[in-house]
Amino acid sequence: CVLSLAQMPELPPLAQLAQTVLGRSLFVNWPMMHEGRVVAMSDETHEVRLVKGKGVQTQRLTEHSELSAEQWQTETEAMQQMYHTGDGSPGSGGVNVGKIKIRLKLLPLQGMKTNPANGSTKKVFGREEADVPLQLALWQAPAPDPRFQ
């Protein structure tokens, strides 16, 4: 049995979409959704990435070289195939994601850190980026965990 996702609507250009998506928390890894913070997104021609400056985050738009554009396309096709046929482990595959036009780079939520001085909590995100097709990201948690609100 293969789950086929609905076709993605026409999206605005990558740089415009990045203004809404970068820095935001999304939920990925269906069916066991995990929170991740979007730090970059790319299409076949460009990548937009959050760059930390002195107290300010800015966006950097980079055009792919011919080699990196080919690599993006190869990785994207492999990603489509992996979601469809699986990676060899039980429970993987079975999702027809359709054409991947935009990929997200996310830092996964690792846990919460409590400030001992005042008891406030802060989300702690990992350092290794996960690469996920836009159509497999949810804007809100399907089953919110009250510990992470």
Side-chain angles (χ1 to χ4, degrees), residues 80-140:
Q80 277 179 274
Q81 186 67 25
M82 189 271 302
Y83 280 109
H84 190 256
T85 60
D87 61 7
S89 62
S92 65
V95 181
N96 179 6
V97 297
K99 182 170 174 55
I100 298 172
K101 295 180 181 177
I102 296 178
R103 291 171 24 198
L104 305 173
K105 299 275 187 160
L106 302 103
L107 297 176
L109 178 65
Q110 300 290 307
M112 299 290 279
K113 185 175 185 178
T114 304
N115 182 333
N118 61 16
S120 64
T121 57
K122 179 181 175 184
K123 292 179 180 181
V124 177
F125 292 89
R127 297 181 189 270
E128 191 171 328
E129 295 177 358
D131 195 353
V132 179
L134 176 64
Q135 57 262 53
L136 289 180
L138 297 180
W139 300 99
Q140 57 188 359

Side-chain angles (χ1 to χ4, degrees), residues 29-50:
N29 292 345
W30 178 86
M32 299 297 293
M33 304 304 285
H34 296 95
E35 184 174 347
R37 178 168 290 144
V38 182
V39 293
M41 52 193 308
S42 61
D43 64 11
E44 58 191 5
T45 60
H46 294 87
E47 179 182 77
V48 183
R49 179 170 289 278
L50 277 181

Side-chain angles (χ1 to χ4, degrees), residues 50-95:
L50 277 181
V51 179
K52 290 184 180 178
K54 296 185 184 224
V56 181
Q57 285 189 341
T58 58
Q59 295 179 12
R60 181 180 66 220
L61 177 68
T62 308
E63 187 171 353
H64 292 310
S65 66
E66 187 176 328
L67 179 62
S68 65
E70 287 176 20
Q71 182 179 355
W72 189 93
Q73 192 61 43
T74 301
E75 290 171 354
T76 300
E77 289 169 5
M79 189 180 283
Q80 277 179 274
Q81 186 67 25
M82 189 271 302
Y83 280 109
H84 190 256
T85 60
D87 61 7
S89 62
S92 65
V95 181

